[in-house]
Amino acid sequence: MPKPAIQAPGSVLQSLLDEYQLNPGKLGEAINLSQSAVRQVVIGKTRISVPVALRLAKYFGNTAEYWIDLQNKYDLAEAAKDSDLNAILKGISKGKKPAPKKAEKPAAQAKKALPKKAPSSKPAKKPAAKKVAPQSPISSDTAR
């Protein structure tokens, strides 16, 4: 079964213009785009950009994704017909991922993951001397 032909975005837009009984000028006015810009899309001179897709989606009640997908599918179909591009593509080989590194044992990974404690460069603190309350020079026996 042959693939269905991909419709050009401009021909889809032209069908909608006919269905809604519009011309590029009226549609352009409705979506705040110039008549020339709409006509360029219809005749296939201009791609449907994201801002245009958003405007068309709002006006015709579909989605911007519809218009972008339509444009992308058309572009891919046209690129597939390009003999120069096909010759280039034939010369490109598929990329190969590097082989994964061998996994280490979990214990070895844990030892490597822990940072080694560096020796302290500060000298150890000396214990503080106990404070003794000074005694009065007069003892309680001599105070009499």
Side-chain angles (χ1 to χ4, degrees):
M1 185 156 131
K3 287 184 180 180
I6 303 293
Q7 282 190 293
S11 66
V12 172
L13 183 55
Q14 182 61 59
S15 296
L16 287 170
L17 289 174
D18 294 343
E19 184 180 330
Y20 282 71
Q21 298 179 353
L22 295 170
N23 60 40
K26 287 181 182 178
L27 176 62
E29 188 177 315
I31 63 173
N32 197 24
L33 204 59
S34 72
Q35 172 184 348
S36 174
V38 174
R39 185 174 288 122
Q40 293 296 309
V41 171
V42 169
I43 64 174
K45 294 280 186 180
T46 304
R47 298 179 78 251
I48 294 180
S49 64
V50 171
V52 172
L54 290 165
R55 293 170 190 206
L56 292 171
K58 177 78 175 182
Y59 186 83
F60 290 113
N62 48 27
T63 64
E65 289 82 2
Y66 168 78
W67 291 102
I68 296 299
D69 288 345
L70 188 65
Q71 183 67 59
N72 286 337
K73 287 177 182 176
Y74 179 76
D75 291 345
L76 285 169
E78 290 299 302
K81 297 175 189 175
D82 184 339
S83 58
D84 291 337
L85 178 59
N86 283 319
I88 292 169
L89 293 175
K90 284 181 183 178
I92 299 173
S93 59
K94 185 176 179 182
K96 296 178 184 174
K97 293 180 185 177
K101 294 181 180 180
K102 290 185 179 180
E104 295 181 22
K105 293 180 182 177
Q109 287 178 342
K111 285 181 184 176
K112 284 186 179 179
L114 295 176
K116 293 183 179 180
K117 205 171 195 181
S120 178
S121 60
K122 295 181 182 178
K125 290 186 177 179
K126 294 181 182 179
K130 289 185 178 180
K131 292 186 178 181
V132 180
Q135 291 192 357
S136 138
I138 305 173
S139 71
S140 58
D141 291 340
T142 57
R144 285 188 187 169

